[in-house]
Amino acid sequence: MTTDDAPAGLHVGKKVDIRVLEAIARKGEVSIILYFEEDLAKTSTYAADLKEHEAFPDHERPFIELVSFLSFQREMSPCFDDALKSVPLVITITSSSEVHEGRSVIKGVLPFLDEMDFS
C-alpha cells in the first residue's frame, strides 16, 4: 500500500486532530486504534496485540479503539470536548496498512501530556 492508498489519507507520520479521527472512525469504514506506547505501535500488529492482551479488559491494554477511548474520557470528564477545543489532541499515525476482520486498521500514538503543545 502506498501513501496515496492509505485509508482516509491517513499515512504513516501524519499528525491528525483526534476529533478528525473520530469523524472518520464513526463512518465505520476503518478501525482507528490508539496506542500508548510508540514502540509497540511501530513493531507489532494489531492482531498480535489483541491476542497477547486478550485476557485484559480494554482499558488495561496498551492500546484502545478510538471511539472507546473518547467515550471513556467524556464519561470521566464532562468538559473533555471543551478542553479539546482549547488544546487539540494530536495523534501521530504509525500504521495504515493492516486489515483486521475485513476492515482497514489505522494505528496512531497518543502524545504524553508533556509532549502536548499548550501554546
Side-chain angles (χ1 to χ4, degrees), residues 6-94:
L10 299 174
H11 56 82
V12 173
K14 187 170 187 172
K15 296 183 182 299
V16 187
D17 187 304
I18 198 165
R19 295 169 294 176
V20 171
L21 292 175
E22 179 181 25
I24 293 167
R26 289 203 181 271
K27 290 179 181 176
E29 298 168 5
V30 298
S31 296
I32 300 179
I33 311 303
L34 303 178
Y35 278 72
F36 301 103
E37 301 172 11
E38 184 174 6
D39 288 344
L40 183 63
K42 289 183 174 181
T43 61
S44 67
T45 66
Y46 179 55
D49 295 337
L50 280 173
K51 185 168 178 59
E52 182 176 336
H53 297 93
E54 67 187 349
F56 297 96
D58 289 351
H59 66 280
E60 291 182 15
R61 296 174 180 172
F63 56 90
I64 190 168
E65 193 271 330
L66 178 134
V67 174
S68 294
F69 171 78
L70 290 173
S71 294
F72 178 76
Q73 293 301 320
R74 289 173 176 134
E75 187 177 300
M76 296 299 294
S77 175
C79 60
F80 181 73
D81 286 319
D82 290 335
L84 289 178
K85 291 176 187 169
S86 316
V87 183
L89 184 54
V90 178
I91 306 302
T92 303
I93 304 303
T94 59

